[in-house]
Amino acid sequence: MSARNGPALCAPRAPRALVAIAAAGLGGWWTAGAAAAQAQPRDAQAEAVLSEAMGTDYLETRFDQAERKLRAAIDACGASGCAPAVKARLYVALGTVLAQGKKELGDARDAFADALRVDPAAKLDPGLATPEVSFAFEQARAATGVAASGAAGGSGASGASGARLRLDPPPEQRVRTPVPLYVEVPDDLLPSVKQVTVWYQPPGEDEYRPLIMKKLRGSGFGINVPCAALAREGTLRYHAAAVDEDGAILASAGARDAPLTTQIRARIASAPPRWPGHAPPAACAAPEEERPRQCLDDRQCSRGHACVGGACVTRPAPDAARDAGGALDVRRNWVALTVSPDVALLSGRDVCSVASQASDNTVCLRGDGTRYDGTPTPGVANDVNLGFALATWRVALAYDRLVLDNLTVGGRVGFAAGGTTGGGASFLPLHLEARAQYFLAARPFAQPGARPFVLAAAGVAQVDAEVDVHVLEDAGACGASPEIASPCTRPGRSGRVEPRQQTLAATRQAGQGFASVGVGVAYAPIEAVSLNLALRAGLTFPAVTAVLSPEVGFSLGF
């Protein structure tokens, strides 16, 4: 039905079990009324239609058929073909079908009004007097001006339909937290109240939902609007009514066209609402699909989420943050200042012999800084055991370009210190490097936080690592006797007599090319700044040496 005669109010469909229970006593309602009324020519026909429409079609939820039959019976009664009580019951049945079965409360109100105009004593079937049906019936009674006592079956609530329930709306409540509603019924109406119902409209929805309030103490009734209806911010609308045994409204608070309201917000400034004498209700847990999922990086989160602080959180409009090239609109240019020491892995035998110094890129210096060119005793000392030695230091200025969501390419230029230049040796203080870094998180530059990565690099650099080496001059070459304490007497290649025993500074000069791989993490407290830690492992060439290089840096993005 259309809302041609009034607003199309909405109400939930009655459960089938309720219809069955009501139908069990429905026959007595209309049969007893028929016996008391003066018989008219079409009364028997109207009673038969009423029985079939409500006892069969309505029970089987064939609401359209029930409506057609009842309207046809009303038309057949005409102006005087049926007793007023019989015709009124047809109108009441029609209003019940419209309100409870078809959820057309505006048309139901009009049908009930027609029933009251035909027979002011018309009343609802108690078995079908749901809050929605009662609401439409009370609207019809107000429109026709029929007193409540004429339709309430002598409940003693005459004139009470205009009374007010006391309901103080909570001004605000947090999202996903029940809203406690509490009403007080006037003392003179309390003995006649069968139930108190509140209809509420969740934020962002159009339909009202009913809740039967619970008796608390004295004249108070309470109910919590459930968490499931309060998952978003907005305005919660509601109104309440108290009804008697016949479903007649005795008192109300608010109305559908003028509801009471409570604001649902993410945070509230006022005290949490509660029933009198009760604690405020606790917030409900988020549904499983909404709870933050624990994670280590973005790959463990669902689409549209990012790993922040160990939990998956909603990513702020990721698709909207893309530039015309399809990549994320983030800071793509990064400059950094880095500091890195080199730690070389060394080993060797007879390292300070003239042949080794020539072939193995080793420089051995005496204590006065001159180059050693003596003749060490073969197989005695003059060795470097396998181990790490601190080598050169590097300071570099870096530039990296974000070419994909998680890939940067760039370069570094800087200088190195700590190399050896004495004794005719040379050292290249320049550092040139090309580098690519792959970040393990998805879209790591879209938000602050940790950004782990792996890297590959190659370039130009020289690594000088110095260790102390002990040598014993060969007795035959330096003119000493076999005893270790015997001094040398014969000059060597440079024309100087070497001490029989001495400690030399042996420097392995490696490079001047290198290639390395590594791992690292950049921590960004904000999107445009990051602190970087990395560890590179590589090889130099053509003078081959394994090198570890810890690295620390500070980056700015733009």
Side-chain angles (χ1 to χ4, degrees), residues 287-320:
E288 184 65 31
E289 63 272 14
E290 297 181 16
R291 296 177 189 170
R293 178 181 174 185
Q294 292 184 341
C295 59
L296 296 177
D297 57 56
D298 287 3
R299 295 175 300 175
Q300 296 176 318
C301 297
S302 302
R303 183 178 179 86
H305 291 71
C307 186
V308 178
C312 294
V313 299
T314 302
R315 190 187 306 279
D319 294 335

Side-chain angles (χ1 to χ4, degrees), residues 23 95 100-101 130 198 220 247 305 533 537:
Q100 189 165 308
T130 64
V198 62
H305 291 71
L533 295 175

Side-chain angles (χ1 to χ4, degrees), residues 114-341:
D114 290 337
L116 292 169
R117 292 188 187 101
V118 172
D119 181 9
K123 63 179 181 179
L124 296 174
D125 170 21
L128 297 180
T130 64
E132 290 75 17
V133 174
S134 297
F135 180 81
F137 191 81
E138 289 301 318
Q139 281 192 321
R141 187 147 56 187
T144 58
V146 176
S149 60
S155 66
S158 177
S161 59
R164 301 291 297 175
L165 297 175
R166 179 181 176 184
L167 195 164
D168 295 327
E172 58 183 356
Q173 178 62 299
R174 292 179 298 167
V175 294
R176 203 172 287 112
T177 305
V179 174
L181 299 180
Y182 177 81
V183 303
E184 289 187 352
V185 177
D187 292 338
D188 58 329
L189 298 181
L190 190 58
S192 302
V193 171
K194 178 183 179 182
Q195 71 182 32
V196 179
T197 304
V198 62
W199 291 269
Y200 69 95
Q201 184 187 71
E205 297 189 14
D206 297 327
E207 301 292 333
Y208 276 87
R209 308 175 187 177
L211 287 173
I212 305 301
M213 304 189 81
K214 301 176 183 178
K215 185 72 161 56
L216 297 179
R217 62 181 182 182
S219 59
F221 291 76
I223 195 69
N224 285 338
V225 178
C227 298
L230 307 172
R232 67 175 71 177
E233 295 185 75
T235 301
L236 171 69
R237 298 176 173 85
Y238 47 91
H239 59 94
V243 299
D244 63 12
E245 292 183 355
D246 293 329
I249 296 178
L250 304 177
S252 63
R256 288 177 182 250
D257 55 353
L260 306 174
T261 62
T262 296
Q263 297 302 314
I264 307 302
R265 299 187 171 106
R267 294 180 177 84
I268 61 175
S270 59
R274 59 177 182 166
W275 296 336
H278 292 73
C284 300
E288 184 65 31
E289 63 272 14
E290 297 181 16
R291 296 177 189 170
R293 178 181 174 185
Q294 292 184 341
C295 59
L296 296 177
D297 57 56
D298 287 3
R299 295 175 300 175
Q300 296 176 318
C301 297
S302 302
R303 183 178 179 86
H305 291 71
C307 186
V308 178
C312 294
V313 299
T314 302
R315 190 187 306 279
D319 294 335
R322 293 184 172 273
D323 58 26
L328 281 175
D329 185 14
V330 296
R331 290 170 176 80
R332 301 196 160 272
N333 301 289
W334 292 81
V335 293
L337 181 67
T338 65
V339 178
S340 176

Side-chain angles (χ1 to χ4, degrees), residues 508-552:
R508 176 67 182 276
Q509 294 190 303
Q512 297 171 336
F514 75 92
S516 61
V517 295
V519 296
V521 61
Y523 176 74
I526 58 176
E527 292 183 6
V529 174
S530 70
L531 302 175
N532 312 316
L533 295 175
L535 178 64
R536 294 186 290 115
L539 293 175
T540 61
F541 54 84
V544 178
T545 295
V547 180
L548 291 178
S549 299
E551 181 179 285
V552 60

